[in-house]
Amino acid sequence: MHRPEVRDIFQARAHDPHAGLDYAEFTEFLRVEQGVDVSLHRAHWDAVFDKFARMSSPLASNEPPRTGVEQQQQQQLRSGRIGRSAFAEFLSSPLNAVLAPLPDKVLLDRPMNEYYISSSHNTYLLGRQVAGESSVEPYIRALRRGCRCVEVDCWDGAEGRPVVNHGRTLTSKVPFADVIQAIGRYAFVASPYPLIISLEVHCCAEQQRTMADILKATLGPRLILEPLPGKSTVLPSPEDLKHRILIKVKAPDEPPELATGSESFLEKRSRSFSSPFSKPLFLDNTNVPSSPLAPVSPVSPVSPGASSPELLPTGSGARSPVPTGTGNSTSVSSLTDDSDSRETAHTIEAKRKKKLSKIVKPLGDLGVYTRGQKYSNFGLPESKTYNHIFSLAERTFEAVCRDAEVKARLEKHNMRYWMRVYPSGFRINSSNFDPITFWRRGVQMVALNWQTYDTGQQKNDAMFAAGSDRTGYVLKSQDLRQSINLEPAATSPPKKHKKLVKFSIQVISAQHLPRPNGTSADQLINPYVEIETFCADDRAKGVASGEGGQDASARNGMSGIGSPHRRRTRIVPNNGYNPIFNDKLSVSLETKLPSLVFVRWTVRTSHDARSFNEKNNLIGTFTAKLSSLEVGYRHLPLSDHTGEPLPFAALFCKIVKEEIIPVEREAVEAVRTGSLKQFGRSVFSRTLSVDKRKPKNSEAREQIIASRDRSHSLPPRAATEPMLRTNSLHKS
């Protein structure tokens, strides 16, 4: 392929373009344009130069030298030159990849709660959500892709053998033993760092004991059965647990004298009818919704006609499931190790009653470092145990974060302890939320529906795509893990200060662009490139701005969570083979978390070579975390709407990143706003009546958040009826 854009770069760097780049010119190109410190890996870059110099020489040969003359000739190549064709080969080779490879040495020595962990939701389904096939294959695929937390839903099977499937649905079943065998075989093919198996248990006591026996027999010495020496009160590091497997399961019931107090009256959680690794949906994911919960409407978990919740209080304070088999019976699926709980009005009355666990001791004891606890609030004793983990549905998480003080307690909690968030059960099409929403609050395990390659899953892939991040563990930013410096009495984590992030992307060209799916063979390709910048800050005006190309951001100037800054290149008519854009797009944004800035390239085609606003015109896409991107001239591999790589298709760009600096005017703004607040307090000293009614204790507010959220957002009956028929399908 004739590459005039590469020719221009080559001629600008070579003193004698006809002779080629010598060693000094090549290393200067690496240093100035590619941001490479050659001195750190001199031997590596010497070998790279020799390789491409041989490609440019008539003496080039893949065979080793056999005579003294040949050895002398190859020695001369080290002072040879790289020609233009070899230079183009280098630019598109893995040696010049846009994402750094996994380094030879990785050290993950911080406590595990200080890392983001690659996590899957509903890992077991192969086909449709409610009538598909359960299989071990999704586990194999997820583990090969580097997933470090998989989910297993366990139900009673025939002949005393537990099975894995989407309970209360028409999905097929696969033996629990087969799933664990597959997990054990592929657990560490992509990463040597610890794997977490998240158990959702719906089995009777006898089959729970069988599950424990299977786990111990199949996983053997890799299974963590007791705390490591010296790690009985703090979480170990991923380095401590290399090639070890953790079981996330609810704690077994404790003797009365060890009970720690109250837990909330439980309500059935929402669970997604996701089916990992089924045929991905073709979604128009140009925009991330302003709130990933916006399209989700809560409904009562009680089926029509039911007169009581799924669990009823007993005289002893325990709660027993309503017997099934009647028309008004509800699912017992809320009896799970992984479900979160929401407080209802009954909580205040039942606060002193303890809910007994349905998990037997042999199985519950396997939760050594990942012991599931029902979320009630962050003030109860169980929220202070070093190895507990709260699992929240996205709606519950959003409700908690509506209260500023409770949100601060959540962020403080996540500096020291585990948390897992999973998609709402009302995401029937297995769509994903925006994971940045939860990463910015320090949530370690943000579980997504991996079978849907929407923008959420693309960000998740990007989070764990470069360098040591490929291990499935990403160290959180210092602002989200200051556990050592956080005073125990503090009610909120330290204030995060904004930083200025600036970068530019010169979209130079594209290569081998295919036609979008569903287009005819004679339809022309008129490509253009759209670049979106995502950050972890609340939507506001002035969060992000840019120059160059066409501004395609929201017209109101808002940017932040759910509203990326978007810019487009020009349209190149009738050229999908090697279109030249040469558009430079610059972006500047102020963010509290530079480590959670993501960039997404989308290549689309215009049907008339003039219009941009079209649907179903996606050619390919590439998403990366800004901090993961290598600078300089790089080729970006493209994937289709299902996440499958497009053979030979790529974008050729020049990436420049400026040094991240603090936003200096923030201090001035703090002084100014502080003065205004003082003035307001002196003028408006009287407390509004609504403030008088507001609970001043943050724990009390936590107790009523879920109830208040539910009562304010219940949809009309007509809107809920279609969903009520599937309530019994929801898992806990």
Side-chain angles (χ1 to χ4, degrees):
M1 176 189 291
H2 178 58
R3 299 283 302 274
E5 72 279 22
V6 175
R7 177 199 61 203
D8 294 342
I9 299 169
F10 180 79
Q11 291 179 347
R13 304 306 309 182
H15 178 72
D16 185 353
H18 294 288
L21 287 172
D22 62 21
Y23 181 79
E25 291 168 339
F26 177 69
T27 54
E28 182 72 1
F29 168 77
L30 294 176
R31 183 183 67 83
V32 175
E33 301 290 0
Q34 307 299 90
V36 175
D37 188 346
V38 177
S39 62
L40 294 179
H41 303 92
R42 177 72 65 178
H44 167 75
W45 291 112
D46 285 352
V48 170
F49 178 80
D50 286 350
K51 174 181 178 179
F52 290 97
R54 284 195 300 270
M55 294 175 60
S56 305
S57 170
L59 300 175
S61 172
N62 292 327
E63 297 183 5
R66 289 170 292 184
T67 67
V69 175
E70 289 177 341
Q71 289 179 352
Q72 184 179 4
Q73 289 174 336
Q74 288 205 358
Q75 181 64 30
Q76 291 174 353
L77 288 175
R78 289 176 172 80
S79 58
R81 294 175 180 270
I82 296 178
R84 193 175 75 190
S85 296
F87 181 69
E89 286 285 337
F90 165 74
L91 288 179
S92 59
S93 73
L95 293 168
N96 190 53
V98 68
L99 299 175
L102 183 68
D104 295 332
K105 295 182 179 180
V106 176
L107 183 63
L108 308 181
D109 57 356
R110 301 295 303 167
M112 287 187 67
N113 60 287
E114 296 192 11
Y115 292 86
Y116 298 119
I117 302 173
S118 179
S119 304
S120 166
H121 172 244
N122 281 2
T123 318
Y124 50 89
L125 288 175
L126 187 62
R128 293 175 295 160
Q129 299 95 324
V130 296
E133 180 182 357
S134 301
S135 172
V136 301
E137 185 64 25
Y139 291 97
I140 297 173
R141 296 180 186 176
L143 293 171
R144 282 178 168 171
R145 292 172 61 186
C147 184
R148 296 290 83 198
C149 179
V150 295
E151 185 176 25
V152 183
D153 293 0
C154 314
W155 296 79
D156 288 334
E159 301 179 357
R161 303 178 199 174
V163 295
V164 175
N165 80 320
H166 200 170
R168 311 288 182 182
T169 70
L170 300 178
T171 55
S172 63
K173 303 173 182 178
V174 60
F176 176 79
D178 291 356
V179 169
I180 300 305
Q181 185 175 17
I183 292 175
R185 181 175 180 180
Y186 292 92
F188 303 106
V189 295
S191 171
Y193 288 95
L195 173 69
I196 300 171
I197 301 177
S198 180
L199 295 181
E200 184 172 320
V201 183
H202 305 270
C203 298
C204 65
E206 179 182 355
Q207 295 204 20
Q208 287 184 43
R209 295 186 181 94
T210 301
M211 289 171 56
D213 293 339
I214 292 172
L215 288 166
K216 293 176 182 178
T218 305
L219 303 179
R222 294 175 298 175
L223 183 64
I224 290 290
L225 299 176
E226 57 186 16
L228 302 179
K231 299 290 183 180
S232 58
T233 58
V234 295
L235 289 175
S237 70
E239 208 70 36
D240 295 329
L241 295 173
K242 289 179 76 170
H243 296 104
R244 304 301 296 272
I245 297 176
L246 305 175
I247 303 299
K248 176 189 171 296
V249 64
K250 186 181 176 184
D253 187 34
E254 297 177 294
E257 62 272 13
L258 298 180
T260 57
S262 64
E263 277 199 43
S264 64
F265 185 80
L266 301 181
E267 178 179 275
K268 194 159 75 172
R269 74 172 180 180
S270 302
R271 294 288 290 191
S272 158
F273 291 98
S274 58
S275 51
F277 308 104
S278 61
K279 184 176 180 181
L281 303 173
F282 180 61
L283 301 177
D284 181 12
N285 51 26
T286 300
N287 296 312
V288 177
S290 58
S291 169
L293 311 176
V296 182
S297 298
V299 299
S300 170
V302 183
S303 57
S307 59
S308 61
E310 177 183 7
L311 301 174
L312 297 178
T314 65
S316 63
R319 297 173 177 86
S320 304
V322 177
T324 57
T326 65
N328 292 338
S329 66
T330 56
S331 167
V332 297
S333 61
S334 65
L335 301 177
T336 173
D337 65 293
D338 191 30
S339 64
D340 67 280
S341 60
R342 298 189 198 176
E343 297 289 347
T344 68
H346 301 289
T347 304
I348 306 303
E349 300 177 8
K351 189 172 181 181
R352 291 176 184 165
K353 296 182 180 180
K354 185 180 187 301
K355 180 194 176 294
L356 299 182
S357 170
K358 299 297 182 179
I359 304 300
V360 300
K361 185 172 174 55
L363 182 61
D365 283 349
L366 298 182
V368 178
Y369 288 121
T370 46
R371 175 161 292 193
Q373 291 285 355
K374 303 287 186 180
Y375 166 72
S376 176
N377 66 60
F378 299 111
L380 296 181
E382 55 263 34
S383 70
K384 304 297 188 296
T385 56
Y386 80 102
N387 60 348
H388 81 276
I389 175 170
F390 286 144
S391 288
L392 306 180
E394 59 172 297
R395 288 199 60 81
T396 304
F397 185 94
E398 185 185 52
V400 168
C401 290
R402 287 196 187 111
D403 185 287
E405 188 172 344
V406 179
K407 178 177 67 178
R409 292 167 65 90
L410 179 144
E411 292 184 12
K412 178 185 174 183
H413 170 275
N414 292 345
M415 285 184 168
R416 289 176 169 152
Y417 311 112
W418 296 103
M419 182 171 285
R420 180 177 182 266
V421 175
Y422 54 87
S424 165
F426 297 98
R427 292 186 177 272
I428 302 301
N429 63 352
S430 296
S431 62
N432 286 301
F433 45 53
D434 184 351
I436 300 177
T437 304
F438 310 100
W439 288 330
R440 68 173 179 162
R441 305 299 180 201
V443 177
Q444 295 86 0
M445 286 172 271
V446 179
L448 278 83
N449 297 314
W450 284 35
Q451 75 279 14
T452 304
Y453 193 66
D454 54 11
T455 308
Q457 182 58 33
Q458 291 168 28
K459 293 175 187 175
N460 190 73
D461 287 350
M463 171 63 93
F464 303 97
S468 62
D469 298 347
R470 295 174 186 259
T471 61
Y473 285 81
V474 174
L475 188 65
K476 295 192 286 186
S477 69
Q478 184 69 19
D479 289 341
L480 296 175
R481 56 183 181 90
Q482 289 180 339
S483 55
I484 297 177
N485 299 324
L486 187 62
E487 294 296 330
T491 59
S492 61
K495 178 179 174 60
K496 304 181 189 73
H497 298 283
K498 286 189 175 182
K499 289 92 176 176
L500 179 63
V501 177
K502 299 179 72 174
F503 65 96
S504 67
I505 298 170
Q506 182 181 355
V507 182
I508 301 172
S509 63
Q511 294 77 45
H512 303 291
L513 299 179
R515 290 181 175 84
N517 285 347
T519 58
S520 60
D522 59 347
Q523 184 170 339
L524 300 178
I525 299 179
N526 306 303
Y528 63 93
V529 181
E530 193 171 78
I531 296 180
E532 297 164 290
T533 303
F534 303 89
C535 67
D537 299 81
D538 291 328
R539 282 196 303 164
K541 289 187 177 181
V543 171
S545 60
E547 296 178 353
Q550 182 188 70
D551 189 352
S553 306
R555 293 183 178 179
N556 59 8
M558 303 285 281
S559 55
I561 285 285
S563 186
H565 182 76
R566 184 181 295 112
R567 308 195 78 81
R568 297 190 184 115
T569 68
R570 66 188 182 92
I571 299 172
V572 177
N574 192 21
N575 188 351
Y577 184 64
N578 186 29
I580 305 295
F581 301 98
N582 270 333
D583 278 354
K584 182 178 179 180
L585 313 177
S586 300
V587 178
S588 174
L589 68 150
E590 297 178 3
T591 176
K592 296 178 180 179
L593 294 169
S595 62
L596 293 180
V597 175
F598 290 78
V599 184
R600 180 175 182 246
W601 287 258
T602 304
V603 184
R604 300 182 181 275
T605 182
S606 169
H607 79 283
D608 59 2
R610 295 188 305 271
S611 342
F612 290 101
N613 298 323
E614 302 171 51
K615 293 184 178 180
N616 301 326
N617 61 352
L618 175 70
I619 294 177
T621 185
F622 175 78
T623 305
K625 190 166 50 174
L626 180 62
S627 60
S628 298
L629 289 170
E630 300 286 351
V631 300
Y633 295 97
R634 309 285 175 172
H635 284 84
L636 283 55
L638 297 177
S639 300
D640 65 13
H641 67 279
T642 70
E644 289 297 318
L646 294 172
F648 310 111
L651 278 175
F652 184 44
C653 300
K654 182 181 181 181
I655 301 168
V656 176
K657 296 190 289 186
E658 298 186 17
E659 182 181 358
I660 298 173
I661 59 176
V663 178
E664 295 181 356
R665 73 168 183 274
E666 193 171 37
V668 178
E669 288 293 317
V671 173
R672 184 181 65 83
T673 55
S675 300
L676 289 176
K677 287 180 180 178
Q678 181 63 35
F679 176 75
R681 281 194 294 267
S682 63
V683 175
F684 304 103
S685 58
R686 297 185 60 186
T687 303
L688 296 177
S689 59
V690 66
D691 292 332
K692 292 180 179 179
R693 294 193 300 269
K694 183 178 179 181
K696 291 182 172 56
N697 185 290
S698 61
E699 292 185 23
R701 292 203 299 275
E702 285 183 66
Q703 300 284 356
I704 64 173
I705 279 176
S707 177
R708 179 181 61 190
D709 175 54
R710 185 170 58 257
S711 63
H712 287 177
S713 57
L714 281 176
R717 178 176 179 84
T720 65
E721 285 179 348
M723 296 299 302
L724 290 173
R725 291 184 284 108
T726 65
N727 271 342
S728 63
L729 306 181
H730 286 183
K731 299 183 303 175
S732 297

